[in-house]
Structure formats: C-alpha cells, structure tokens
Amino acid sequence: MRVLYIGGTGEISSACVAEAAKVGHQVTVFNRGRTSPHLPAGVEQIVGERIDYFASTSLAARNFDVVCQFLAFNAADAAKDIATFKGRCGQFVFVSSASVYSKPIVQLPINENTPIGNQFSRYSEGKLECEAQYLEAHNADHLPVTIIRPSHTYRHRLPSTIVSGDHLAWRLQNGKPVAVHGDGQSVWTLTHAEDFARAFISVCGQDKAYGQTVNITSDMGHTWNHILATVAEAIGVVPEIRPILSSRLEAAIPELQSTLSGDKANSLIFDMTKLKTLVPRWQCEVSLDRGISAAWAVVAKRLQDGFQPDRELDTKIDELIHQAEREAQT
C-alpha cells in the first residue's frame, strides 16, 4: 500500500513506519524535519508544515491508500486534515489516546464502549474534539476514518509517572529515593511500540475497520511498584521507593493532576476483543523486562551525554519524600 505518515519520528510512529517498511508498504513521512528521523531504507520524507500541506508540491499531487495521522491535537487540526485528504485516501487513521476515557475509571476492563470524557486533561479533550470531527466526516462520506486509541506505549523512554523517565533513571543512578503515587499498587498497562506497530499495520487497509474506534494496548497490567522495580533492575540498582498520596503530589505540583488523577493514578486494564476480531493472531511479544532493558540502553546514552534534570522539580520531590518519611516515623 501507499501509506502516508503525518509525523513518523515519535515514540510510537517511528515503530509503525519501520513495521510498514518491513512488510513492504510504500511509505512516505510528512513532518517538519526537526527530529533526526533514522528512517528505514526506502522511506520517503517530505518536509513541511501542517498549517499548509499544499505548500509542498510533493504532497499536493499525491493520493494514498492510507493516511496515518499522529499529530492532530484539536478541532482545527482535524478540520485541516478533512479539507486536505477528502477524496485523496482510501482510509484515514487517526491516532487518538486511551486517556480520553472518563476518570475515575468505574469498571474494568476498559473497552471501546467505556464512557469517555476526561475532565482532568486538556490533551484528552483535544483528542476527543478530533475524534468527533473525523467521525462526522466519515458519516458524511467525506473520509473513510478509523480511530486508534493507544495507552502508555514506550520504546526509547522509560515508563514513569511523577518525573520523566530520564529523570527517574538519573535519580536511581544517583542513589536517590523515587516517589510513587498512592501505595504503588494501582495497576497500569504498558505496551511496547513494536507490539503496537504490528497491530496498527494490520488494521491499516482493513475496510472492516472503517468507522470504527479500536484500542491497541497490551491486555496485561503491572503495579507501579513492579514497574519501578523493573526499571531499577535494568539499571542495576536497588530502588528506594517512597509512597506519597496523589492528592499531596498534585497539591505541591499542580501540573501533575492531568498525569495522575487524569491518567496514571487509575488502574487501567484493557479488553482487546475488538482488536483481536480484526487481527486474530496478534498478541504482545515484548516482555516488560526486555522492553525496559532496551529502553534503558537508549536512556543510558542520554544520561552519559550530560542529561540534567529539572532541578526545581527534583527539589520538590526530595521535599515531599522527606516529609512523608518524617510523618511515617511519628
């Protein structure tokens, strides 16, 4: 198939581009060219701005079997896509987010009929705006649309909650305790980007997926305590994990509300029935240990190249941990 990726260099999309090239698709990526792409051999890159697709004559005269949109975040983005690709692609695949499901989660496992509307996250609200616009265009026969909802998908970044994965690794390497929200026992779903990509590529081009919303995640969950311990094991250290109430973390660092109450403080396990109806043989193949070890190999290079954490945030984390430790002793 002739496949266009809008994006193509991110944590998820780069794995999808690699898988598409591997199975023999004719792949083009369209992006700003600001990230070193490391594109597979034979993949075409068109550099341009999404605000004016047709400024690129290389793109303006082309039709595609599938267009994969990884970089739409609001209604205006969706409107631009609909105007641009109406009548010019066989399938338009929008990568949304499983963060759109309403929080707190009231029933597990999550499927595509779980209530949506995440009031804690503007990012999630924007993704839902996009979904609504694309599906309206689909129902009006303007664009054959498929909505994909990934959850936490990783490849070259370590999973973390309160700080970035690089910052988490830096703290562990420097013998500092790491904070976990709540008691660390909430269950979280992690999906390796290579597993996501195999499912994603299999959905592309399927007419049975037109007009459908499909979750693509692992169907296995892990507690955050186990995830952090697995990261520490890959690094080769023994972690000191300190539990802190999510409400206290959010009060001290308000920007964490969308990350915690809006996402990672909830237990998330997914029902993959719909995906496996479309792709019966698919299953996750990258274990948590293997995926995190591979991610650490990449993160370690960034730390060696001089990574420095957000010192203000790091100090706040230290203060919260020390406060929790003092209270535990009284």
Side-chain angles (χ1 to χ4, degrees):
M1 296 188 296
R2 295 163 299 164
V3 184
L4 172 67
Y5 282 84
I6 302 171
T9 61
E11 188 84 337
I12 303 178
S13 61
S14 60
C16 293
V17 167
E19 182 67 17
K22 178 181 175 181
V23 302
H25 294 330
Q26 181 181 327
V27 181
T28 300
V29 299
F30 178 87
N31 54 47
R32 295 176 296 178
R34 296 180 183 177
T35 303
S36 178
H38 305 296
L39 295 172
V43 172
E44 175 191 20
Q45 182 180 26
I46 299 175
V47 175
E49 295 285 346
R50 290 191 60 239
I51 58 173
D52 187 5
Y53 284 115
F54 290 124
S56 169
T57 55
S58 298
L59 186 63
R62 306 267 289 277
N63 291 344
F64 297 91
D65 297 308
V66 183
V67 172
C68 304
Q69 172 56 280
F70 284 80
L71 297 180
F73 302 105
N74 54 51
D77 290 342
K80 171 64 72 173
D81 286 335
I82 293 164
T84 300
F85 294 107
K86 178 181 177 181
R88 300 183 57 231
C89 68
Q91 180 189 26
F92 186 94
V93 182
F94 170 56
V95 180
S96 182
S97 170
S99 70
V100 302
Y101 292 111
S102 181
K103 306 298 187 304
I105 297 293
V106 296
Q107 185 174 347
L108 293 173
I110 296 166
N111 63 32
E112 290 79 2
N113 295 318
T114 295
I116 56 176
N118 184 349
Q119 71 272 24
F120 297 102
S121 172
R122 181 67 192 99
Y123 167 83
S124 301
E125 291 175 348
K127 286 292 190 179
L128 281 178
E129 291 173 3
C130 291
E131 287 190 17
Q133 288 239 27
Y134 291 130
L135 290 174
E136 182 180 350
H138 173 87
N139 292 333
D141 292 329
H142 294 160
L143 200 65
V145 168
T146 300
I147 307 293
I148 300 295
R149 291 178 181 159
S151 189
H152 190 158
T153 307
Y154 73 105
R155 188 186 191 195
H156 296 152
R157 298 175 188 166
L158 290 169
S160 183
T161 55
I162 300 163
V163 296
S164 71
D166 287 10
H167 191 167
L168 170 68
W170 180 88
R171 287 186 68 92
L172 288 166
Q173 268 203 328
N174 284 275
K176 303 185 76 170
V178 296
V180 66
H181 57 276
D183 61 1
Q185 291 300 312
S186 58
V187 177
W188 189 247
T189 297
L190 289 168
T191 309
H192 195 274
E194 291 177 6
D195 287 328
F196 176 93
R198 289 185 296 101
F200 183 86
I201 297 306
S202 297
V203 172
C204 289
Q206 279 209 46
D207 56 7
K208 290 186 293 185
Y210 295 178
Q212 298 295 314
T213 298
V214 185
N215 294 330
I216 299 182
T217 80
S218 170
D219 52 10
M220 177 179 294
H222 304 275
T223 68
W224 273 106
N225 283 338
H226 178 65
I227 292 168
L228 294 176
T230 304
V231 171
E233 183 179 3
I235 295 173
V237 300
V238 176
E240 298 179 54
I241 300 174
R242 300 289 186 264
I244 301 175
L245 290 174
S246 295
S247 57
R248 177 169 289 184
L249 287 163
E250 293 174 353
I253 310 169
E255 57 268 30
L256 285 178
Q257 187 177 54
S258 62
T259 300
L260 295 177
S261 291
D263 207 14
K264 294 176 181 174
N266 298 269
S267 287
L268 298 188
I269 300 174
F270 293 85
D271 177 356
M272 288 293 100
T273 299
K274 191 169 187 178
L275 173 63
K276 290 182 178 180
T277 299
L278 293 168
V279 193
R281 298 181 185 178
W282 179 84
Q283 62 180 1
C284 286
E285 298 176 359
V286 180
S287 69
L288 184 68
D289 290 354
R290 180 159 71 90
I292 285 182
S293 293
W296 163 238
V298 179
V299 172
K301 179 65 166 59
R302 292 199 289 266
L303 267 58
Q304 291 168 4
D305 289 343
F307 167 83
Q308 290 297 315
D310 180 326
R311 295 293 179 175
E312 182 179 353
L313 176 59
D314 197 63
T315 298
K316 284 184 179 180
I317 298 300
D318 286 340
E319 291 171 350
L320 287 163
I321 289 174
H322 293 155
Q323 181 182 2
E325 289 174 339
R326 287 193 300 269
E327 291 175 358
Q329 294 170 1
T330 59

